Amino acid sequence: MPCSEMEDEESRHYRARLNHTFVLFAMAGLACFLLFDYFQVPDAWPTLWLGRFLLLGVCVLCVTLLRRQPRRPDDIALLGAVCANLYFCFGATMIQDAITLSLWNLSFSTSMLIAMPAWLVWGWRYQLVSSLPLILGYLPLFLWLSPLSLKDLAGAGGAYMVATMIMAPALAHARSSTFLRTVKLRRALEVRNAELSHMNQQLLTQQHELEYRANHDLLTSLPNRRCGLEFLDRTLAASLRERRCLSILFVDVDRLKYVNDTFGHPQGDRLIQLVAAGAAQAAGEEGMACRLGGDEFLVVLPGACDMASQQAVNQLMHHLEAQRLEEQIAFPVEVSIGRVTHDSVLQGEISVQDLIHIADDRMYRQKRAGRHAVVKGSNQQA
């Protein structure tokens, strides 16, 4: 099979591995038959051994080349196969016994019919080139050098040799065709899997985007009202169950309409983003800040007592003031905050709606008072 028919680098690497294994197998077979030469061909075993060792040297060269992952692994295996067939032709002429010749022909023909198609992935052209020494040289060399007659050759597996020369290319073609179809199907499967993986990744991305849009406010990137209220409901249930404190901050942006009308809606959006960033910072890692809608935000502080919630308010106000000074913002950055702390040990159960109602009421009381700090007094806890 010409090297141009190779599918890809992976296929060439696979061929090189198969050819490498086959050459090692051939080396083991050559070594094992040293005893055959010594006992069955006693008059010519030194010559046969010399040929076997030379052939082992060729195999070592082939193994060395194949271990370097060449681009033409079949050509290297073909070199070893041609040398082996030449050795087979010359070795057969030195055998003087018909039974020994039968064993010689049978072992070599069997390797061509079984071992080579099992390990090598050759097209019929390569197999035919490998068999040329047998086709062109075996019979002339036998008639020239062998003491046996054609009748002896016919009885010593000659018909089997002829059948081998015909069947080996056909077997090689079947094996190669199967390999090429397998490679083609594998490549098609890889392409299909890649397409499916890409489509799956796109679906996951779209799903994540939809989930994000369903749970977050696009302007501020904070969780939206639904997500925030669900978090508050879970946090309140856990606080009541574990008998811990819980604080919430109801934050309202002051003078947003004035900023929109005077400085433009982009600046109004910027004001909302500043407050959102401050609310997220005040919430910390365990809490959550969400945008309820419009100019209203909710900050949930799990486990926060009255003092901790006041610190969160101070942190929010400090952040807004620092950002106003750092960015030299021309529009007013002011908020009204309703703060509620619920102690489940002292106050028992309360609903989410009641908590938000109390916080909202305190926020509006502060807004009506015209102050921009949390409402102070003795009733901070719900």
Side-chain angles (χ1 to χ4, degrees):
M1 182 177 59
C3 189
S4 59
E5 294 182 21
M6 299 290 188
E7 291 294 323
D8 50 21
E9 190 64 30
E10 182 182 356
S11 299
R12 282 194 294 270
H13 177 67
Y14 178 68
R15 288 173 180 273
R17 288 174 55 192
L18 289 179
N19 294 353
H20 178 270
T21 305
F22 172 74
V23 175
L24 292 178
F25 175 82
M27 292 174 66
L30 288 170
C32 290
F33 273 89
L34 288 172
L35 295 178
F36 176 89
D37 298 341
Y38 183 79
F39 288 109
Q40 299 298 326
V41 195
D43 296 334
W45 71 264
T47 304
L48 292 177
W49 276 29
L50 176 62
R52 287 190 187 275
F53 283 119
L54 290 175
L55 190 54
L56 283 171
V58 174
C59 291
V60 170
L61 175 62
C62 292
V63 168
T64 303
L65 295 175
L66 288 169
R67 286 179 65 87
R68 297 177 182 176
Q69 299 182 3
R71 297 189 62 83
R72 302 182 70 88
D74 287 346
D75 294 342
I76 297 173
L78 180 62
L79 170 64
V82 170
C83 293
N85 288 348
L86 287 173
Y87 170 77
F88 169 76
C89 293
F90 283 102
T93 63
M94 298 181 185
I95 299 175
Q96 301 180 3
D97 178 69
I99 296 178
T100 303
L101 182 61
S102 298
L103 296 175
W104 182 273
N105 291 337
L106 180 63
S107 62
F108 199 86
S109 299
T110 301
S111 69
M112 291 186 63
L113 288 176
I114 298 178
M116 293 181 70
W119 289 104
L120 296 178
V121 186
W122 273 2
W124 64 270
R125 297 182 183 88
Y126 268 71
Q127 185 64 54
L128 186 60
V129 172
S130 172
S131 301
L132 281 179
L134 298 176
I135 298 173
L136 301 178
Y138 186 81
L139 187 59
L141 287 173
F142 185 85
L143 292 176
W144 178 31
L145 299 175
S146 177
L148 301 176
S149 63
L150 286 177
K151 180 180 178 181
D152 295 327
L153 177 62
Y160 189 41
M161 288 291 300
V162 174
T164 297
M165 296 177 193
I166 298 174
M167 294 175 62
L171 290 175
H173 176 71
R175 164 81 161 139
S176 175
S177 299
T178 302
F179 174 78
L180 288 177
R181 285 196 298 268
T182 302
V183 169
K184 183 178 179 180
L185 290 174
R186 188 193 72 239
R187 297 300 296 170
L189 181 61
E190 290 177 354
V191 171
R192 185 57 178 167
N193 286 339
E195 293 175 352
L196 291 176
S197 177
H198 179 66
M199 293 174 59
N200 185 53
Q201 188 61 41
Q202 286 184 325
L203 290 175
L204 288 176
T205 302
Q206 293 176 359
Q207 180 181 353
H208 291 160
E209 183 178 353
L210 290 174
E211 290 178 355
Y212 183 86
R213 288 176 175 270
N215 295 306
H216 289 77
D217 174 64
L218 298 183
L219 177 62
T220 63
S221 297
L222 291 180
N224 57 19
R225 180 185 184 90
R226 181 182 62 83
C227 185
L229 292 181
E230 288 179 354
F231 179 79
L232 175 57
D233 186 68
R234 294 194 304 269
T235 304
L236 178 59
S239 298
L240 295 174
R241 183 174 59 254
E242 299 169 7
R243 304 185 69 80
R244 297 190 306 160
C245 290
L246 169 67
S247 297
I248 66 171
L249 308 179
F250 198 97
V251 183
D252 184 84
V253 181
D254 293 334
R255 305 177 68 183
L256 178 61
K257 185 177 185 305
Y258 167 77
V259 173
N260 284 331
D261 294 342
T262 305
F263 299 92
H265 285 276
Q267 295 301 322
D269 292 342
R270 177 59 182 151
L271 173 58
I272 291 176
Q273 291 172 340
L274 288 173
V275 175
Q281 188 180 76
E285 295 183 358
E286 295 185 0
M288 174 186 284
C290 70
R291 185 183 182 189
L292 294 178
D295 55 359
E296 295 180 340
F297 296 87
L298 177 66
V299 180
V300 182
L301 304 169
C305 61
D306 186 66
M307 183 178 297
S309 64
Q310 181 60 56
Q311 290 176 351
V313 171
N314 296 338
Q315 184 178 4
L316 172 56
M317 302 301 292
H318 176 75
H319 173 83
L320 295 178
E321 181 64 17
Q323 289 297 112
R324 185 184 68 81
L325 295 176
E326 179 181 344
E327 299 184 19
Q328 298 181 352
I329 297 175
F331 52 82
V333 181
E334 301 172 353
V335 295
S336 298
I337 302 175
R339 177 170 64 93
V340 177
T341 297
H342 179 74
D343 189 338
S344 60
V345 176
L346 300 177
Q347 299 164 306
E349 295 188 0
I350 192 172
S351 66
V352 170
Q353 292 76 11
D354 290 339
L355 271 179
I356 295 178
H357 177 74
I358 296 172
D360 183 57
D361 180 67
R362 291 178 180 177
M363 181 274 297
Y364 274 109
R365 284 166 51 195
Q366 179 186 339
K367 185 181 290 289
R368 287 194 297 269
R371 292 178 289 116
H372 307 299
V374 68
V375 174
K376 295 182 180 180
S378 59
N379 59 344
Q380 291 304 311
Q381 294 187 337

